[in-house]
Amino acid sequence: MKTALFSGIVLWVFASCSFDAERFIEENSILEEAPEVNKNLECYSCMAKDGIELEICDHLDGTYTLYHGDLEKPLTEDDLEGHSAKDFVGIGCQLENLEL
C-alpha cells in the first residue's frame, strides 16, 4: 500500500512540474524573444603547402578578402574565376607557389 501511494505521489509531482514548465514557456514566449541573427561573413581556410594558413572571407556582397600570413588581398567575384570561395581557397592550398 505504501509503495502504491508513494508511486502515485511521485507521478503527480512529475506531471505537475511538466505542466508548469509548459505553461511557463507559453506565457513567456521564450522562443519569440530570441534576437535576430544576421550572417554577414563566411570564411574558409586551409593550410597552404608553404605551411601558412590561407583563408578567404566572403562578405556576402560580391566582395571577398584573401588572407595568407600577413598578406591581405581584396577580391571580387571575377577574381574567383567562376569558383566558389570554398573551392577557390582549396585550389590555392594545393598550389606549390602562391602569388598574391
Side-chain angles (χ1 to χ4, degrees), residues 50-62:
D50 61 6
I52 301 173
E53 182 179 44
L54 180 66
E55 180 178 44
I56 189 168
C57 292
D58 182 347
H59 300 281
L60 305 175
D61 64 357

Side-chain angles (χ1 to χ4, degrees), residues 13-14 63 81-82:
V13 169
F14 282 126
T63 64
E81 300 173 351

Side-chain angles (χ1 to χ4, degrees), residues 66 68 71 73 92 95-100:
L66 187 66
H68 184 246
L71 299 173
K73 182 176 182 177
L95 298 175
E96 291 294 330
N97 185 16
L98 290 173
E99 293 181 21
L100 302 178

